[in-house]
């Protein structure tokens, strides 16, 4: 069903694109100067897009070209230009947006970093939705007759932006669900939350551009581009800081492997599978980030031990000893400056699951799975390790987490957790 929904979205976008290009080529471009100005803005926005290689960045597709998105939205909501009426329709808007976007992403495609087909389809359908809601009302005169050009028009545009943001979130969650297998509800919630960030700046800039062009003409476009460009630069810097921070956490986690306290790749495998289980449980993006950091650092307490646990297999230790190591890990984590909730998950990972926070339950079960799978106690591999976890659901492991872990492994079709992708 999810795959069918993705193909339906792509098919609808493809039909709209062909109809828009065919209509525009057949009848010509209405108001070519306006179309050229907005097309140039969209193309420049695509050229300035951020090439993302981080798989955790919402599949790399969460508004990487805000200027292009704002320009496309402004063209869809454009009424008069310098107080003169315009007559471009929905199909021409689709054609200009697609042609300009394709022109702007050519250099990115040449570097192998172009946006996915799902992202392009989503852009086409979102812009078409906004244009269908606005242009027929404007071109027929019903918008000006019923609402006018005062504050009620602004309120109408804000309402339309809310619907457009909802449409964009719905379209974004569909391919993400097909790609990751996560429940649709939490994915839609994450997409709606993302709209509050750079998405709100895009929507606001698009409306301001459309209203500014209506009064001052096309000269308003470069003026209103500056705030969004500064916002985009700020987001780039924040992303770079987050990437550096994540790399630092990963390096700290590898210290236990370098010291010989844990098996090679153990922390990475636990983090990868913990994030997969967290997505299966419907955690938010922030919760997944905390979960990943805590899973990477879950064995860091062994650096405080005079005699580290052999192969780092803390799952087989007595409960009191496992809790002591976890508390030491929480103290070390706090000294590294990680968020407080990360340190809490690290120090509570060995508690009985009924006393643990939700994220610590995931780390405990996944860590035990990797410890069991890496030892000689379970030559049967994944099935035997999962069965051992199920036997411990009375007090040690939350049953829902264990069953989510089983579903993730079954869906991946892999026995080794190191092959489960992170993000």
């Amino acid at each position: 069903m999810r795959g069918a929904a993705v193909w339906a979205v792509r098919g609808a976008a493809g039909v709209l694109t062909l109809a828009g290009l065919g209509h525009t080529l057949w009848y010509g471009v209405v108001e070519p100067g306006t179309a050229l100005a907005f097309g140039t803005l969209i193309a420049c926005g695509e050229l300035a897009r951020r090439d993302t290689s981080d798989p955790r960045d919402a599949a790399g597709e969460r508004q990487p070209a805000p200027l292009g998105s704002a320009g496309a939205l402004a063209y869809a909501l454009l009424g008069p230009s310098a107080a003169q009426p315009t007559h471009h329709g929905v199909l021409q808007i689709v054609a200009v947006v697609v042609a300009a976007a394709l022109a702007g992403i050519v250099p990115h495609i040449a570097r192998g970093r172009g946006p996915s087909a799902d992202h392009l389809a989503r852009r086409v359908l979102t812009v078409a939705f906004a244009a269908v809601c606005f242009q027929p009302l404007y071109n027929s005169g019903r918008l000006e007759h019923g609402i006018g050009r005062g504050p009620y028009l602004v309120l109408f545009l804000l309402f339309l932006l809310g619907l457009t943001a909802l449409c964009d979130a719905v379209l974004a969650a569909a391919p993400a669900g097909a790609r990751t297998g996560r429940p649709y509800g939490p994915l839609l919630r994450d997409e709606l939350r993302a709209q509050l960030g750079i998405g709100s700046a895009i929507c606001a800039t698009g409306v301001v551009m459309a209203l500014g062009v209506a009064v001052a003409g096309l000269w308003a476009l470069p003026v209103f581009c500056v705030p969004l460009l500064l916002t985009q630069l700020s987001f780039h810097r924040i992303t770079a800081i987050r990437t550096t921070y994540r790399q630092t956490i990963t390096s700290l986690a590898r210290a236990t492997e370098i010291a010989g306290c844990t098996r090679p790749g153990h922390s990475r495998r636990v983090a990868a599978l913990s994030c997969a289980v967290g997505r299966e449980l419907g955690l938010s993006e922030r919760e997944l980030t905390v979960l990943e950091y805590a899973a990477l650092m879950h064995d860091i307490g062994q650096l405080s031990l005079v005699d580290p646990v052999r192969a780092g297999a803390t799952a087989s230790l007595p409960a009191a000893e496992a809790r002591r190591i976890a508390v030491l890990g929480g103290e070390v984590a706090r000294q590294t400056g990680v968020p407080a909730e990360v340190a809490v998950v690290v120090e509570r990972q060995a508690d009985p699951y009924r006393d643990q926070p939700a994220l610590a339950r995931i780390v405990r079960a996944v860590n035990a799975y990797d410890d069991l799978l890496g030892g000689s106690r379970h030559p049967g591999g994944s099935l035997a390790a999962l069965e051992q976890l199920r036997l411990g659901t009375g007090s040690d492991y939350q049953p829902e987490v264990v069953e989510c872990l089983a579903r993730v492994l079954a869906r991946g079709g892999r026995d080794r957790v190191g092959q489960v992708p992170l993000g």
Side-chain angles (χ1 to χ4, degrees):
M1 292 294 294
R2 290 179 176 179
V6 172
W7 282 108
V9 169
R10 294 178 181 177
V15 170
L16 267 175
T17 298
L18 292 176
L21 292 174
H23 178 274
T24 304
L25 290 174
W26 183 263
Y27 292 102
V29 179
V30 179
E31 288 125 10
T34 301
L36 179 62
F38 278 95
T40 302
L41 174 63
I42 295 169
C44 291
E46 293 294 337
L47 286 172
R49 78 164 35 243
R50 175 174 59 88
D51 286 338
T52 177
S53 58
D54 186 356
R56 289 187 58 81
D57 186 16
E61 297 294 348
R62 213 173 254 166
Q63 302 294 1
L67 185 58
S69 300
L73 186 59
Y75 192 43
L77 300 178
L78 179 64
S81 176
Q84 298 299 317
T86 59
H87 303 90
H88 60 282
V90 175
L91 292 179
Q92 178 173 309
I93 291 171
V94 171
V96 170
V97 169
V98 170
L102 291 177
I105 66 176
V106 168
H108 300 282
I109 294 176
R111 294 199 299 269
R113 296 287 188 86
S116 68
D118 291 332
H119 178 74
L120 294 176
R122 180 176 124 207
R123 173 79 67 85
V124 171
L125 293 178
T126 301
V127 170
F129 175 83
V132 166
C133 291
F134 180 83
Q135 291 298 326
L137 292 175
Y138 167 75
N139 290 328
S140 65
R142 284 179 291 177
L143 182 64
E144 184 173 357
H145 181 267
I147 298 179
R149 298 185 181 181
Y152 292 109
L153 176 60
V154 177
L155 292 176
F156 171 75
L157 291 177
L158 291 176
F159 172 73
L160 183 55
L161 284 178
L163 293 179
T164 304
L166 178 61
C167 173
D168 183 66
V170 169
L171 293 173
R179 182 175 56 251
T180 64
R182 289 182 61 193
Y184 184 80
L187 284 171
L188 179 59
R189 180 189 62 192
D190 288 342
E191 294 297 336
L192 289 173
R193 286 177 176 174
Q195 297 291 338
L196 299 177
I198 189 67
S200 59
I202 290 171
C203 291
T205 304
V207 169
V208 171
M209 281 183 180
L211 295 176
V213 171
V215 176
L218 297 176
W219 291 106
L221 288 180
V223 174
F224 291 114
C225 284
V226 175
L228 188 58
L229 285 173
L230 295 177
T231 302
Q232 182 177 357
L233 179 60
S234 299
F235 270 82
H236 288 183
R237 290 181 176 177
I238 292 173
T239 301
I241 292 172
R242 288 177 176 173
T243 300
T244 302
Y245 187 72
R246 183 171 181 269
Q247 292 172 346
T248 301
I249 296 295
T250 304
S251 299
L252 287 172
R254 291 194 64 231
T256 57
E257 300 175 18
I258 296 173
C261 300
T262 58
R263 291 177 290 113
H266 171 71
S267 296
R268 179 181 59 83
R269 291 192 299 271
V270 172
L273 196 51
S274 293
C275 288
V277 172
R279 287 190 174 89
E280 184 74 14
L281 289 169
L283 299 184
S284 68
E285 288 296 324
R286 171 165 176 75
E287 289 171 326
L288 288 172
T289 299
V290 173
L291 176 62
E292 181 191 11
Y293 290 169
L296 284 170
M297 303 184 71
H298 76 277
D299 269 333
I300 202 167
Q302 294 209 48
L303 296 177
S304 302
L305 300 178
V306 177
D307 186 16
V309 180
R310 182 179 179 183
T314 55
S316 59
L317 291 176
E321 180 64 14
R323 282 195 287 271
R324 186 178 74 87
I325 295 175
V327 170
L328 290 173
E331 294 176 356
V332 174
R334 285 188 176 86
Q335 292 175 7
T336 63
V338 299
E341 54 265 48
V342 175
V344 169
V345 174
V346 172
E347 72 179 1
R348 300 286 300 280
Q349 62 178 300
D351 294 352
Y353 83 82
R354 292 181 178 84
D355 300 329
Q356 290 177 313
L359 301 186
R361 297 173 182 178
I362 298 174
V363 174
R364 176 169 188 173
V366 174
N367 175 54
Y369 173 83
D370 192 64
D371 285 346
L372 293 170
L373 200 63
S376 59
R377 297 172 55 193
H378 293 284
S382 179
L383 293 178
L386 284 171
E387 185 60 28
Q388 183 69 19
L389 292 185
R390 288 189 174 103
L391 292 175
T393 53
S395 58
D396 296 331
Y397 312 111
Q398 186 180 21
E400 292 81 0
V401 172
V402 175
E403 294 310 313
C404 280
L405 173 59
R407 289 197 298 271
V408 168
L409 293 169
R411 186 166 58 243
R414 305 258 170 70
D415 191 2
R416 300 298 298 183
V417 294
Q419 295 174 304
V420 177
L422 178 60

